[in-house]
Amino acid sequence: MAIEKIFVHKNVASALKLGQARGVAIVAATLHGLEIAEYTPRQVKKTVVGNGAADKAQVQHMMQALLKLSGLPQSDAADALAVAVCHGQTSRGIL
């Protein structure tokens, strides 16, 4: 399972909520015997866009192009897809 490391910029309350959700996901993965790979936002962007400082619109565009989606994915969906693509390319080179 691939998961993005938490990045705190300004909103600490959001980071706390993300940390809780992330913790639940990690526990669930562990209980099912899944290996967990963590990637920083910069790693994910560098892998899928080629620029670690890419903005959300660039990530959305690349996910649409790479995955041949009929429409532009929502920002959060694009981020999740980007983590999956990063994991596929990084861990096994399957994509």
Side-chain angles (χ1 to χ4, degrees):
M1 181 180 99
I3 193 163
E4 190 173 45
K5 292 182 180 180
I6 294 175
F7 169 75
V8 179
H9 182 61
K10 292 182 181 176
N11 194 335
V12 176
S14 290
L16 181 59
K17 289 176 188 174
L18 284 172
Q20 291 170 336
R22 190 173 174 276
V24 169
I26 290 170
V27 168
T30 301
L31 290 175
H32 285 85
L34 300 175
E35 291 182 30
I36 300 165
E38 295 181 280
Y39 302 97
T40 66
R42 185 171 284 281
Q43 284 175 293
V44 172
K45 292 173 186 178
K46 177 75 172 164
T47 301
V48 301
V49 178
N51 176 3
D55 62 28
K56 288 195 173 280
Q58 290 172 301
V59 173
Q60 287 174 286
H61 175 74
M62 285 305 296
M63 289 303 91
Q64 182 182 18
L66 286 173
L67 301 176
K68 298 181 176 132
L69 303 175
S70 60
L72 201 63
Q74 292 180 352
S75 180
D76 290 340
D79 289 347
L81 291 168
V83 172
V85 169
C86 176
H87 183 60
Q89 289 185 347
T90 302
S91 66
R92 296 186 192 94
I94 59 174
L95 296 175

